[in-house]
Amino acid sequence: MAARFKQYQSLLRMLKDKCPAAFPVSVRRIKLSKLEGRCWKSGKQFHIQIDKGLDEGRAMDVLIHEWAHARAWNHRLDNAPTDEAFNKLAHDAAWGVAYAEIYAIYEQKFTTAHM
């Protein structure tokens, strides 16, 4: 990963340490044509992809969003009949709580007021 993404790398380490998901999470920055990021479960592992065209700040925002999906994943997502149903279920109250928990930890470590 490029040296300019030191904060992103630090965030990723923090997420793995302080905000683990039910299964291991693999994170990759790749070229995505239509999305900024995505998360899915395959067997007993989560996969997150972040568009490598994003600047570091936006990549960190997207990583937090996608990590919240891994933290809040439930069996209903595995059985969603359509992409629309999946997207609705993926942003439910459980996801909102996971996002809030992650963001609170992020703020403690990464905002200038706490550095």
Side-chain angles (χ1 to χ4, degrees), residues 30-74:
I30 67 165
K31 175 99 172 102
L32 293 174
S33 60
K34 296 182 180 183
L35 301 169
E36 289 185 318
R38 60 184 171 188
C39 176
W40 73 96
K41 184 171 133 300
S42 178
K44 292 188 175 191
Q45 184 168 10
F46 292 106
H47 301 274
I48 293 175
Q49 293 177 333
I50 307 293
D51 183 14
K52 71 179 185 177
L54 300 176
D55 65 37
E56 185 176 34
R58 184 65 188 144
M60 290 171 71
D61 290 342
V62 173
L63 177 57
I64 291 168
H65 177 108
E66 298 304 335
W67 198 276
H69 285 304
R71 290 264 301 176
W73 201 275
N74 68 65

Side-chain angles (χ1 to χ4, degrees), residues 12-30:
L12 182 54
R13 286 189 300 273
M14 183 209 73
L15 291 171
K16 288 181 178 186
D17 181 48
K18 305 271 187 209
C19 305
F23 300 114
V25 182
S26 167
V27 178
R28 300 283 181 263
R29 289 181 58 239
I30 67 165

Side-chain angles (χ1 to χ4, degrees), residues 14 102-115:
M14 183 209 73
I102 293 166
Y103 196 81
I105 293 169
Y106 160 80
E107 276 196 323
Q108 288 176 353
K109 180 166 178 143
F110 290 93
T111 60
T112 55
H114 296 94
M115 292 180 93

Side-chain angles (χ1 to χ4, degrees), residues 71-106:
R71 290 264 301 176
W73 201 275
N74 68 65
H75 67 88
R76 295 179 310 152
L77 293 168
D78 295 330
N79 300 313
T82 65
D83 286 345
E84 184 178 332
F86 179 88
N87 285 330
K88 184 175 181 179
L89 289 169
H91 295 98
D92 63 2
W95 175 85
V97 169
Y99 184 91
E101 290 172 345
I102 293 166
Y103 196 81
I105 293 169
Y106 160 80

